[in-house]
Amino acid sequence: MGVDGFDLDQVRREIAAEVLARRTSGSVDAVEERRLQRLFEQYSPHAGGVGALSDALRSVDATIFIDPDVPVASSQPAGAAIKKTVRKANYWYMRWVTTQVTKALSNIAGVLHQVGSELDRINRRLDLVSNDTPAVIQLADADAWWHNRASEAVARAKGRVLVAACGDGSFVATLTALGHDAYGTDPRAEVVPTHGDSLDLRREGVIEHLDAVADAMLAGVVLTGVTEAMLPAQRTWLLRALDRVLAADGIVVLHLLKPEFLSGEARPVALELAGVEPLRPSTWVSVLHDRGFGVNLVDGGPDALIIASRGPRAN
Amino acid sequence: MRSSLLRAAHAPTELGMKIAFVTPRYGEEVMGGAEGAARSLAEHLVADLGHEVEIYTTCAIDHLTWADVLSPGVSQLHGVTVRRFTSAAGRDPKFSDLDARIRVAPSSRSIEDSVAWVAANGPVSESLVEALGDCDADVVAFYPYLFYMSVHGITRVRQPAVLHPAAHDEPSLYLPIFQRVFDSADAICFHTEAERSLVEPVLHTAATDQIVLGLGTGQASGSGRDGAAILGIAGRPYLVSVGRVDEQKGSTMLYEYFVEYKKRHPGPLALALVGPVSRPLPEHPDVVAAGIVNEADKWDIVAGAEVAISPSAMESFSLVVLEAWVARRAVMVNAVCGPTMEHIKASGGGLSFEGYLSFEVTLERLLGDAALREHMGEQGARYVASRYDWPVLIRRYEAFLESVVARGRRSEVKR
């Protein structure tokens, strides 16, 4: 229940139920409702490239019916009467043609809907094995030991540096104060300041974010607490994304908790729910090395820092 | 901010920036839209913060023809320097055909097709683009992404370039030429999260410096007159829709829905359409097309309405929805319009419709429950005050521009 006694979700549910009831009862003539719905669809976004299939199908549905009633309005005297006569004379033919076309288009639309449904089903299954936004594991407080080491590593990056997950933006602020062009992302809406002033902080997950970064746009990527809860497929995706978005001499700083400190009661709830086992730092070192990075491992006790460089500066 | 000798040469303010806006049309005659948004930002940067602002624009007012109707040259408007340039071409008569063709799979069109589409859309002002090469501002803001001067100007400027896309989910967004435009921006200023979410995956802008800003709203500045009397329908309750009366803005749909509603709900209720008329609608005894009205009349008309309706599916921000909330009116918006849906979800200030039946039922509900309307108006007013108050918003924009200037121009085309 909202303030002042209004539950807007309930209001919306009641409206939806009433709409359904009127549609079921035939409150509005079906042909007329279709005409009115076509007006709604006509300038609705349908996404020319990557939009939802359902939106595109709605546009198809809205244009399927071919109207045999040719408009007869005319700006010329007697024009409307002449057009009306021609329409009347040809109506049997126009109706026959438009009926065939409408039937054919309806069949095609039906197939498209089946394809759409099948894609929905597949996507739902994929969601079961690959959540787009893996949970962030809170690793350390703002003045953590690794900040200095990470700052030193990022100092070599010549360009934009991404920090994920950035939390309240404290490490982004540190890098910015040092003169770096840094920004952050974090899917945890509750920890990212809204309308932050000078810092560029976004509320989104690292996978979703990197997916929308152009090739070779980043000089550095700092990852802290984002890899622990990743599924194997997501880790593979992340490595491929890093290959793509990093500049030729890009740097990756990977801050992570060691699995042995994540057992028993110390195991974060998010990790438990994800049902995954984080990789050991030495495994990450091996994986990054195999992908052409020069890698340094810094042991911090329960957590570790991996600094991986590509290009001539790799060590 | 500026350290160059250029500052000494202009020096209208001691410490301010010099900001240039590039927009296809500009002036008091231009109501709402991206160009109106550019004017609001420009005037607040000058009046509230003392920055120097100049506008690079054409002599056009009409967005359908882009005909030169204003005089070229330099003029002043509310403290802003306006540089107007003539256009070699306006809207090409063949634009509609070309536009219809690119609507099918726009992302697979060639760069040449895209460039032809931009030129046909108009206005084509090479002299404006040339002049940008000599611009001495600290930062240049292009508003919106869609037109010739943004497409060709953003690669021409030497200063950091900020792009205000004002993008909708429209086929042209997917034309390949716009990848270059967004790549050439040093920073992007979005109206809403919905706009950012739309643009980011299409144009791969995630790593570009950016801000979600929106627009500020003014105080309700009506004169206290009866809105119905201004409309010539004294004593009758009415709905209001403010904005360009245009098929693409949903005006035809709203008209047809309202006429159908009135067939099924006879009574005194009227519909007021306030704004420039691009496409006249059939006359109807319950529909008032008020055209362009002055600000005071607009606020009085909105304040007197039972419900404000935004029928458009193609909005990148919708200032008129926010202004309805400043006047404490409940709103109804098009359910497939991301930005206006973002506003009502975040505020609780309105409801949406996605076809005639939901229009009818939602309107019945709102008209039948004055307390609900009042509640929504209050919720909307709180939302606007917390996010879109000019003093706060213009400071955020200033800080953003300062950071963009500090970082400097990265490259003309990043990839």
Side-chain angles (χ1 to χ4, degrees), chain B residues 84-103:
Chain B
R84 293 190 189 280
F85 300 83
T86 55
S87 299
R91 176 71 53 84
D92 191 314
K94 293 177 182 165
F95 173 72
S96 294
D97 292 341
L98 188 58
D99 187 53
R101 282 207 299 276
I102 69 106
R103 281 176 181 273

Side-chain angles (χ1 to χ4, degrees), chain A residues 54-65:
Chain A
S54 57
D55 286 343
L57 286 175
R58 277 197 313 182
S59 292
V60 171
D61 290 344
T63 53
I64 271 179
F65 177 70

Side-chain angles (χ1 to χ4, degrees), chain B residues 259-289:
Chain B
V259 169
E260 180 69 20
Y261 183 88
K262 286 303 302 278
K263 274 188 208 162
R264 295 159 60 85
H265 301 74
L269 185 69
L271 169 66
L273 302 169
V274 178
V277 180
S278 295
R279 176 168 178 152
L281 295 165
E283 289 196 7
H284 189 281
D286 296 326
V287 179
V288 182

